[in-house]
Amino acid sequence: MAVLLDEKKSLFTLYTRNSMYQMKVDNLGVLLHTYYGKRTEIIDYSYLISWKDRGFAGNPYQAGNDRTYSLETLPQEYSCFGSGDYRASALKIRYHMGARALELRYVRHEILEGKYGIPGLPAVYAQEGDRADTLVIVLKDDVSGVFVYLYYGVMENLDVITRAVRIENRAENSIFLERALSMCLDQLYGSYDFLTFYGKHEMERKLSRAHIHHGVQSVGSVRGTSSHHYNPFMILADRSATETQGNCYGFSFLYSGNFLAEAEYDQFNQTRVLMGIHPDNFEFELKPGEDFWTPEVAMVYSDAGFEKMSQAYHHAFRNNLCRGKYKKARRPVLMNNWEGTYFTFTGEKLVQMAKEAADLGVELFVMDDGWFGKRDSDESGLGDWYVNEKKLGCTLAELSDRIHELGMKFGIWFEPECVSEDSDLYREHPDWAFIIPGRKPMRGRYQLVLDFSRQDVRDHIFAQMCEVLDNAKVEYLKWDFNRSISDVYSAVLPADRQGEVSHRYVLGLYEFLEKLGRRYPDMLIEGCSGGGGRFDAGMLYYTPQIWCSDDTDAIERLKIQYGTSFAYPVSTVGSHVSACPNHQTGRVTPLDTRATVAMAGTFGYELDPMKLTAEEKVQIRQQIATFKNYYDLIQDGKYHRLTNPFVDEVYTVWEYAAEDGSEALMSVVATKIYANEASIYVKLRGLKEDRYYLLNGERYLGGALMYAGFRMPEATEEYQSWNFHFVEEK
Ligand code: GLA
């Protein structure tokens, strides 16, 4: 068991391969947090806590005249609003008399074998061979009748600890959750950096790194989705932490809706980290006997910098979060027609494209937006999920058959959560969209959002989709969502329950995806939201890959994929080679560089193959062969960020190293050329230091490559790239 209880000391210690996490129930029954960091022998870490009479710090009544006992200064495991801890809190509930103060006290605990799951929400799961345990600590507040169950999933070999909270109403009246975060972590001391991932449409997940300063700093989303703008992932790190050195703590929120990630540096230089559903426009009623599960947070501690943390996430998300056939099965190299044709295509045109694609070695042809309803532009048609046979010139089954005859799989695009005002669905059911009575709704890309908190709405769309999917052979589905949510209002909930809608929406989305995945277990589902607007660990539970960004420019992608790699594995990153000049930036890059960059993802093409030259076709055939050749190394190898594209101007370099260090593929892209440039060296990682590696007939000592480095090749054309495959000499 990786959960140990020292009953005499009321001490709970959780440990994984490298980390240890500890809590203690004190004399008043308050659950204190004592330690999270490197694994050591188990000792009582509460010796670190200082007990002092602090000015203006309140003392709970039960502490009697002990002025050294204050919830404001002690490290709390799950902090509550209103009873003397004035820092940002994890839980705030309004109960029968309208008060909000809570005093949570220990009741009991349970230690269970295996990893808990959460009904209706994504969660990291244990696989055979994994060592996983669950600790549940039950706390209660006497006056309000609130019970809180703190769940800890301890994944020993994965080096991951997960947290989630279940809140139960045991009172005789309703209670109202106003803030119900998934985790709180108090660090007693330390000068940390707060690393978050910000961005915008077509430039997602840029790394922001700043010293934590006194006060509260936060990122989050109130857009209804996790958003392009901030990712539900953050890192707390030593100020000196680098890729390979220093303490760092990762926090990944397995949720695809509104979120808050917050850090507070307090008066005594203690740091509190909080993560959970964003409290804005959130209020959830629990009737007597009802309970509420928060989504899960997956935490990873690394004593050796960001790389070790990222690799733990990559492994866990790939193997213990993604599900279904395509978790492990080789993903087909695809061609998507979007940037090739946009809305202007016929069935015949697609077949012609597919013919060329098949000839190049592409394995899956995807028909993107524009095949359904009245959809010749983005102004109409969403919600009418029936095939536009007039436009295609054939049925979907006929189109699919023709593509299959070419030896390829076939996939299609959907945007199930949205509706165009110019659609039959909207004309029939205007109240199915989020519209606040008496107001005109905000449009986004001309469209409105369907109320997916409603079962009847979901069932209708599901039935429409099944009708399409059951009548043609479809092996891939792209699930898109192309706007931020606003005007949140559900026509079927009373006025005092509208604060539940955003969360119920996400639950509805998850339920839908779960049902879809069960009904079509062999179908590969790729998530998407205007590119990477909902690229989060919650979605990965349902869709093992997500279109990373609508920006397909290889040079910009270096940055986007760099930021994405801090939490998410290569196998989840949808990445395509597109035509040049690039449609988003106008930049021209060599075709091989576009492939080098797209290979750090699920790899495919998004262009019109009819426009390729004979020479380009030769290159593409070679690229696909190269990708297939390195597939296992790229997908299962350890990912190393060897340079930082935001800082290192001349080259962006990354590496996939075999788990056992027997081979490594190093990808290099020249991002800037200077005349007469000084030589630049990059150090590889993850090799065996005393073994030799072969590269193009030359021998290199592993230790030399790692500690002295490898001289970067000189670029002879702009944005040139290279792939160096080092193989251990036998
Ligand atoms: C979004 C997606 C694109 C494409 C279009 C279609 O922007 O990210 O890949 O599917 O929608 O409208």
Side-chain angles (χ1 to χ4, degrees), residues 667-694:
S667 297
V668 179
V669 178
T671 44
K672 194 105 191 177
I673 301 187
Y674 289 106
N676 200 17
E677 174 62 307
S679 293
I680 292 181
Y681 300 83
V682 167
K683 293 172 181 165
L684 283 89
R685 293 200 284 273
L687 303 177
K688 300 179 188 172
E689 51 183 41
D690 54 351
R691 301 288 299 172
Y692 276 88
Y693 291 80
L694 296 176

Side-chain angles (χ1 to χ4, degrees), residues 338 343 368-369 375 413 445 478 480 482 528 530-531 547 550:
W338 179 243
F343 288 107
D368 209 276
D369 194 356
R375 184 72 171 171
W413 179 97
R445 204 194 190 196
K478 179 169 166 189
D480 209 341
N482 281 314
C528 178
W547 181 227
D550 273 347

Side-chain angles (χ1 to χ4, degrees), residues 94-154:
R94 196 172 77 246
Y95 45 90
H96 58 282
M97 70 275 265
R100 293 178 173 83
L102 294 173
E103 290 183 311
L104 291 180
R105 298 293 182 262
Y106 173 84
V107 181
R108 61 185 168 81
H109 70 272
E110 263 178 274
I111 298 172
L112 308 164
E113 229 173 85
K115 163 71 172 59
Y116 67 88
I118 309 180
L121 281 166
V124 172
Y125 59 88
Q127 297 199 97
E128 236 187 271
D130 287 333
R131 294 205 49 191
D133 299 300
T134 295
L135 167 67
V136 192
I137 299 185
V138 187
L139 309 171
K140 74 166 178 176
D141 175 64
D142 278 335
V143 174
S144 63
V146 169
F147 274 65
V148 170
Y149 300 75
L150 303 180
Y151 279 76
Y152 299 83
V154 190

